[in-house]
Amino acid sequence: MDARARIARLFAAAGWRRRGLAAALGVAAAGALPPVHLLPLAFAAFSGLLLTLRAAAAERPAAAFWIGWWFGAGFHVAGLYWIANALLIEWQRVGWMIPFAVFGLSAFLAVFVGGACYAVRRAGGGTLAGAFFLAALWTLAEIVRGTVLTGFPWNLIATVWVETETVLQLAAIGGAYGVSALSVLLFALPATLRARPILAGAAGLALAVGFGAWRLAENPARDVPDVRLRLVQPVVPQALKWDPEAREANLERTIALSRSPGLETRTHVIWGETATSFPIWGDDHPRFVERRRQVAQAAPPDGVLIVGAVRVESDAAGGIAAWNSFHAIDSRARMLANYDKHHLVPFGEYVPFRGILPIDKVVPGSLDFSAGPGVATVRVPGLPPLSPSICYEIVFPGRAVDAADRPGLIVNLTNDSWFGYSAGPFQHFAAAKLRAVEEGVPVVRAAGGGISGIVDPFGRVTARLGLEQIGVLDANLPVAATATPFARFGAGIAAVGLAMLMLCGFWIAKRSKIDGD
């Protein structure tokens, strides 16, 4: 028995052994994601997945679906375990959701992986053709899960490269989905157990590294003149954020941090999502006006404060509506700009089918948030036109900026205190890096708790406050790059790439002798 046959036998398990193997391979794939970044695990995982599918080629196509489903379940449970942390903060009220939020969500997301593997099986061909099919169909599954039911494009395979800035430059061309497709192809090629495909993959990776190195060298860091930022990270424990007895102290602490030495040298101070748990804009109520004056103490003397807060207004029916908002105010408490979050978190900020599901949302309070009108470019004095982004709005490829009114930066306000010291905040910051490279604009990310930082339009982190690090970050604003191919053409480039991968797979399948199976 030669080496190829012995390796093939390792993946020829059945029953629970096969399911356990597929789930373990999915967990291994998650090990390549932030914050672990063990890239060799991605090669083992996707090559193992393809070999397991190949071993089941003589069985019904449904077998391929279940191999993919178990792989996807392992991948998502290992990658999304941290969601449970948010539900443990008020475990008496929402702790019962943990099995649904972690295992239920992972089981649902695994359906997309199962569907991709089913389609790989139906497409036919040997292992080399299967590598091309898997790359295209896995990425198509990422696109679909990032779209249906409001979408959840978390932990795209492209994310494994966020610490490899040279390879990350490919996102400027094909976006995260294009990088995912090429990555899965690269990771699956060792399954062919043939020298030529593996060497071709290595050569392709070398070309990507070379292209990225050239692009970074040709675009040294440059700063926007006369913009001096201060990002404030108070790290208020989530359990105390909305506590009536702690809210005032939390706000005063954030103001004091903002006013620490050097404020007079800053032009803009930026707070995170819902950094003040008191509304400061909405109905013209004296309480809101007074709170706005209090918050304005954190603004530079002749500058601007950007702050996340809940906006509250009376609706036409005499009730109350609330938005998760971005405000810009000056030191005289004048409101300069506003943006309302439009992509809300299901069950976190609102309950879908509220009339059918009589349950609480995770964020305290019985009132669901209302959605804003959509992606926008706003003008804040002293800054280039900017695209506000609140919390997980930053994870959606191609939906971070208004292409018709291109901004000079993305300002992402977030609060990852929900998730404690876990993989979640690292994965969230990684998504921000991908958006910067895709759009060719810097991302300024202020986290009330989590990771604050500034990413230039090439994915280089120019300044950063680490997870759970209390303090302020004084830094400059990088200059935006020219519009990238992805910014110009969007997902069209990735769509063409997926079609080419499928055509290559069919061509190889027809010439099965090339595959060697």
Side-chain angles (χ1 to χ4, degrees):
M1 184 183 297
D2 63 17
R4 287 194 296 274
R6 285 196 296 270
I7 292 173
R9 283 191 62 183
L10 290 174
F11 295 91
W16 281 105
R17 287 180 57 201
R18 173 190 288 170
R19 296 166 200 153
L21 172 62
L25 291 170
V27 171
L33 296 169
V36 182
H37 294 296
L38 286 178
L39 270 173
L41 291 178
F43 288 91
F46 283 96
S47 291
L49 173 61
L50 192 53
L51 286 167
T52 306
L53 291 171
R54 184 62 178 156
E59 301 179 30
R60 294 180 305 163
F65 172 87
W66 287 110
I67 290 169
W69 187 91
W70 282 100
F71 182 98
F75 176 75
H76 289 297
V77 168
L80 299 174
Y81 74 89
W82 46 267
I83 293 176
N85 289 4
L87 303 174
L88 289 171
I89 293 169
E90 293 189 58
W91 63 269
Q92 302 96 327
R93 184 173 65 89
V94 294
W96 64 270
M97 293 183 182
I98 289 175
F100 301 95
V102 178
F103 299 105
L105 176 61
S106 297
F108 171 70
L109 296 175
V111 170
F112 298 102
V113 182
C117 290
Y118 176 87
V120 170
R121 166 68 176 80
R122 298 292 296 182
T127 311
L128 181 55
F132 282 83
F133 292 141
L134 182 62
L137 293 166
W138 174 284
T139 306
L140 180 60
E142 286 191 342
I143 294 170
V144 174
R145 75 170 167 94
T147 305
V148 300
L149 299 177
T150 77
F152 190 68
W154 198 281
N155 284 345
L156 306 177
I157 287 300
T159 310
V160 303
W161 300 107
V162 293
E163 294 299 313
T164 311
E165 291 172 355
T166 50
V167 178
L168 199 63
Q169 301 310 304
L170 293 176
I173 301 173
Y177 292 126
V179 177
S180 282
L182 294 177
S183 299
V184 173
L185 176 61
L186 176 68
F187 298 148
L189 283 176
T192 64
L193 306 176
R194 297 284 183 175
R196 285 201 301 177
I198 294 172
L199 289 174
L205 179 58
L207 285 173
V209 170
F211 165 75
W214 168 81
R215 189 168 189 262
L216 291 169
E218 288 293 305
N219 294 278
R222 295 185 299 122
D223 294 330
V224 176
D226 302 322
V227 174
R228 298 177 299 280
L229 306 176
R230 167 166 285 186
L231 280 55
V232 182
Q233 185 165 290
V235 193
V236 174
Q238 192 60 38
L240 298 177
K241 186 172 181 63
W242 302 97
D243 185 332
E245 296 182 2
R247 294 165 72 190
E248 190 73 50
N250 293 339
L251 178 56
E252 289 295 339
R253 175 186 175 197
T254 305
I255 292 171
L257 267 176
S258 305
R259 293 178 61 82
S260 57
L263 176 63
E264 69 282 356
T265 70
R266 303 293 96 194
T267 59
H268 298 79
V269 172
I270 305 178
W271 291 4
E273 178 189 17
T274 58
T276 168
S277 52
F278 299 101
I280 62 171
W281 192 19
D283 293 334
D284 192 16
H285 194 287
R287 288 180 303 168
F288 296 170
V289 174
E290 185 57 36
R291 286 295 181 189
R292 189 158 68 244
R293 289 173 180 157
Q294 181 184 13
V295 168
Q297 297 175 59
D302 297 308
V304 176
L305 169 68
I306 292 173
V307 54
V310 176
R311 186 170 71 86
V312 179
E313 289 188 1
S314 300
D315 60 24
I320 296 175
W323 293 264
N324 187 351
S325 298
F326 162 115
H327 303 317
I329 64 176
D330 65 13
S331 58
R332 296 168 61 185
R334 293 178 298 187
M335 195 63 70
L336 306 173
N338 178 71
Y339 162 83
D340 298 322
K341 184 179 181 182
H342 70 278
H343 205 131
L344 303 177
V345 181
F347 301 101
E349 295 171 306
Y350 74 102
V351 177
F353 312 110
R354 167 66 79 178
I356 301 172
L357 298 175
I359 61 176
D360 291 335
K361 68 183 191 301
V362 176
V363 175
S366 59
L367 181 66
D368 285 348
F369 283 107
S370 299
V375 177
T377 301
V378 304
R379 270 70 183 175
V380 172
L383 288 174
L386 64 88
S387 179
S389 167
I390 298 178
C391 192
Y392 104 133
E393 288 181 326
I394 198 70
V395 307
F396 290 86
R399 287 183 259 173
V401 305
D402 180 0
D405 189 8
R406 179 173 165 80
L409 75 153
I410 298 170
V411 177
N412 179 224
L413 309 185
T414 191
N415 174 35
D416 288 345
S417 291
W418 289 99
F419 310 116
Y421 202 101
S422 68
F426 293 96
Q427 295 167 0
H428 204 180
F429 189 74
K433 291 183 70 172
L434 273 164
R435 300 296 86 76
V437 180
E438 286 173 343
E439 301 294 345
V441 298
V443 172
V444 175
R445 187 171 194 267
I451 302 172
S452 297
I454 297 177
V455 185
D456 84 356
F458 302 93
R460 294 173 292 214
V461 179
T462 61
R464 173 173 172 151
L465 271 175
L467 183 56
E468 296 189 347
Q469 182 179 347
I470 298 171
V472 299
L473 183 65
D474 290 346
N476 297 329
L477 173 66
V479 174
T482 56
T484 63
F486 179 83
R488 292 190 183 101
F489 304 109
I493 296 175
V496 171
L498 298 190
M500 292 178 63
L501 287 171
M502 290 297 294
L503 288 173
C504 286
F506 285 121
W507 180 79
I508 293 168
K510 287 190 70 172
R511 299 188 59 182
S512 58
K513 289 184 180 180
I514 297 176
D515 198 352
D517 288 300

